[in-house]
Amino acid sequence: PEAPQLRVYNTNRIRGESMARWWVVVVFALTPFVVGSALFTGSVDAQLHDKQYYFQQRVDHFDPLNRDTYRQKYYVDDTNYTPGGPVFLFLGGEAPVEFFEFQEVYARQLAQEFKALYIAIEHRFYGTSNPKPSYSTEHLKFLSSRQALADAANFLVTYNATLTKGQAKAGPWVVWGCSYSGALSAWFRAKYPNLVVGSVAPSGPVFACNNYTSYYGLFSSVADSKCVSAVRSATNQIVNLLQSSAGRVSLKKTFNSCGDLSPNMEDNYWFLDQLTSAVGSSDQFQNPPGFPLNVTCNMMLSSSDYVSNWAKVFNSQQALTRKLQATASPQACNDFNEQSNWINPMRNASNANRSWYFQKCTEFGFFKPTYPGTSVFPNLNLEHRLRWCEQMFGIPGMLPDIQQTNEYYGGFDLKATNVLFTNGLIDPWHLLSITKDIPGVQAVTYEAGHCAPMTQPTSQDPPSLTAARAKLRSFVASLVGATI
């Protein structure tokens, strides 16, 4: 057995009570555990009934001469499993696999109900599942959605062989995900239909897009009209204040900036980007019980000084993040220098944040520019964002090959069967997902945010969200042959 492991575990996420980047971490000690295979090693977390393992995964599935392997982390919960029963495989996405626990709640509940074996596998180059020792551009060439899908296929076939020992047949496999991994789940069913009976694909953006202006554009349609007007007014005031020396000094104080703002608007890109994200992203996770869009809009309308209200939103988020991550004093100033606070750290080959941006810069785009008329937020041109790819990864002219991605996977025209998409109409990502039935693919929408059916049900769930969970349950029951 390997030495005991430490697991960073988010107690709030499993209850579905926290937002993506606001978390509490608790460390549980894991006792040794061993599996009877050279490919599988691991430990047990008795608190969660999860067993943590590592699988000897191939580094490159598409080069027959490359036989290198790496240790891919995964968790197993077999508490309610009946041999021969179904297997639920949750695909991790663009973060350590533990991050997604708050978005696995309903899947785990259904695993308990249907006596399924539950497995969550970590995506390559996230968490501790690293095929190479750094995140250098040379090493990240082994990072792609296609390699990740091949990882899952190789894992499934190998693991399934351990389940069939001593019994005639293993139960059906159902693949799950959420957000990017929701898209992976749908693509897995499309590319490996012989391995799983179906896919659950919550909030999966299947259409690669560079110029995704609708991400911030949706805010105007889903936020309260008074909030939208307040943001529009504040945007105009901020842009006007940036035009004068006195205005920039005022903004520096209001937003607690570490350095002076620039008379050159392009040099203020990162400043405007961070302000826009703080307010404009609040609709994505408009899920109960937190309803962050409502919280944000209440703050934006807390006084007639909309610029100061915006600063309250931003500064409170920054202070809480610093406190929970213990990276700096909650009262520390905000660094709006794009080069020192964004580009330079992202050039560091030891920075794990490079992984997702590499996938954006090679496969998906998913950039969120704004232009006059597309949203109520400041102008953030696409060209500036595209330059980040070259600056971070050192490849001249680097641009995402979104055409190839959409041709390979099909974009909105997904060719697959037994796939269910669930999408929140308040979540901007639903606009890049499948929201209506197409041949072989079902879709259900609801009035909430990102991946909401996968989170803990609450008494505040809108009826459409409750209905979406019911649809999800009946779909899974039909896949595994259970009686509804």
Side-chain angles (χ1 to χ4, degrees):
E2 296 188 343
Q5 310 271 334
L6 287 180
R7 179 175 183 183
V8 178
Y9 186 72
N10 181 344
T11 54
N12 276 350
R13 286 192 189 120
I14 197 67
R15 297 195 301 270
E17 296 174 1
S18 67
M19 288 177 58
R21 57 185 173 181
W22 297 356
W23 59 84
V24 176
V25 292
V26 177
V27 178
F28 288 115
L30 303 178
T31 54
F33 188 84
V34 67
V35 182
S37 170
L39 290 175
F40 301 93
T41 57
S43 307
V44 176
D45 183 343
Q47 298 265 6
L48 299 172
H49 308 293
D50 275 2
K51 302 179 181 73
Q52 175 185 284
Y53 301 115
Y54 288 92
F55 175 67
Q56 289 300 318
Q57 184 63 265
R58 291 189 62 177
V59 169
D60 189 350
H61 296 276
F62 308 115
D63 180 0
L65 302 182
N66 187 339
R67 307 304 298 176
D68 294 343
T69 63
Y70 74 98
R71 299 169 78 245
Q72 184 173 29
K73 183 167 64 178
Y74 67 101
Y75 288 103
V76 176
D77 184 352
D78 58 2
T79 307
N80 302 286
Y81 177 59
T82 300
V87 183
F88 292 174
L89 177 63
F90 183 89
L91 303 180
E94 69 279 27
V97 68
E98 295 87 0
F99 172 87
F100 301 97
E101 287 150 359
F102 79 113
Q103 295 169 336
E104 297 176 58
V105 175
Y106 195 58
R108 286 176 176 266
Q109 290 177 359
L110 292 184
Q112 180 178 359
E113 178 181 350
F114 296 139
K115 308 298 182 185
L117 182 66
Y118 188 86
I119 303 173
I121 188 170
E122 192 165 69
H123 195 296
R124 59 170 54 207
F125 283 104
Y126 296 99
T128 61
S129 299
N130 295 316
K132 293 293 180 177
S134 80
Y135 304 95
S136 68
T137 303
E138 177 63 20
H139 289 163
L140 288 175
K141 69 182 181 181
F142 297 104
L143 171 59
S144 69
S145 58
R146 299 186 197 186
Q147 292 280 9
L149 292 176
D151 279 346
N154 185 36
F155 171 86
L156 188 157
V157 170
T158 307
Y159 196 95
N160 199 53
T162 70
L163 297 178
T164 57
K165 289 182 179 179
Q167 61 187 58
K169 184 180 180 182
W173 287 67
V174 179
V175 64
W176 302 68
C178 166
S179 192
Y180 161 55
S181 78
L184 283 178
S185 172
W187 294 335
F188 190 87
R189 170 62 183 169
K191 297 301 181 181
Y192 299 93
N194 58 311
L195 298 183
V196 294
V197 295
S199 156
V200 180
S203 302
V206 295
F207 186 77
C209 176
N210 281 339
N211 196 28
Y212 187 32
T213 57
S214 295
Y215 182 86
Y216 289 126
L218 186 68
F219 182 91
S220 299
S221 301
V222 298
D224 179 85
S225 60
K226 292 181 180 179
C227 181
V228 174
S229 295
V231 174
R232 180 185 292 110
S233 175
T235 292
N236 292 334
Q237 292 178 60
I238 290 170
V239 171
N240 287 334
L241 286 168
L242 285 170
Q243 307 305 315
S244 70
S245 177
R248 292 190 293 274
V249 170
S250 175
L251 288 174
K252 175 182 178 180
K253 180 179 179 181
T254 301
F255 286 94
N256 192 26
S257 175
C258 298
D260 294 338
L261 298 173
S262 174
N264 182 349
M265 283 296 289
E266 193 71 6
D267 292 339
N268 295 317
Y269 192 99
W270 184 245
F271 169 70
L272 296 174
D273 175 86
Q274 293 302 285
L275 268 55
T276 298
S277 178
V279 172
S281 297
S282 59
D283 51 0
Q284 179 174 331
F285 282 97
Q286 175 68 346
N287 294 332
F291 295 111
L293 175 60
N294 296 354
V295 172
T296 298
C297 281
N298 287 340
M299 294 182 73
M300 283 299 304
L301 296 170
S302 61
S303 78
S304 59
D305 186 348
Y306 299 140
V307 174
S308 292
N309 296 345
W310 198 328
K312 290 177 185 177
V313 174
F314 182 81
N315 290 328
S316 64
Q317 289 183 12
Q318 292 298 304
L320 182 56
T321 300
R322 292 189 190 105
K323 180 180 179 180
L324 295 177
Q325 295 181 342
T327 55
S329 166
Q331 288 74 42
C333 62
N334 300 312
D335 184 0
F336 294 114
N337 185 296
E338 181 177 327
Q339 193 67 37
S340 65
N341 194 39
W342 176 234
I343 299 300
N344 289 347
M346 288 293 283
R347 284 174 171 167
N348 189 333
S350 65
N351 188 345
N353 292 322
R354 283 168 59 87
S355 294
W356 179 236
Y357 230 86
F358 184 81
Q359 290 196 261
K360 285 165 64 79
C361 288
T362 53
E363 297 186 86
F364 304 124
F366 292 159
F367 299 115
K368 308 165 189 174
T370 63
Y371 294 99
T374 66
S375 78
V376 293
F377 297 100
N379 180 40
L380 297 167
N381 67 79
L382 173 63
E383 291 73 19
H384 192 113
R385 278 170 146 73
L386 291 175
R387 287 196 295 271
W388 288 344
C389 294
E390 178 177 333
Q391 292 168 348
M392 291 174 185
F393 301 106
I395 301 176
M398 183 180 189
L399 294 172
D401 195 344
I402 58 172
Q403 180 177 348
Q404 185 183 73
T405 299
N406 290 327
E407 288 176 353
Y408 182 74
Y409 291 121
F412 292 121
D413 189 23
L414 179 70
K415 302 299 184 185
T417 59
N418 292 346
V419 177
L420 174 67
F421 284 88
T422 65
N423 276 288
L425 296 177
I426 305 178
D427 171 24
W429 292 110
H430 86 270
L431 298 170
L432 297 184
S433 187
I434 293 174
T435 57
K436 294 183 179 180
D437 290 358
I438 59 176
V441 177
Q442 300 179 52
V444 61
T445 59
Y446 52 86
E447 294 293 332
H450 209 55
C451 297
M454 297 286 281
T455 62
Q456 176 68 40
T458 78
S459 60
Q460 301 175 58
D461 291 352
S464 58
L465 175 54
T466 301
R469 283 200 187 94
K471 171 68 174 179
L472 194 162
R473 181 189 175 278
S474 64
F475 174 76
V476 173
S478 69
L479 293 179
V480 301
T483 301
I484 301 176

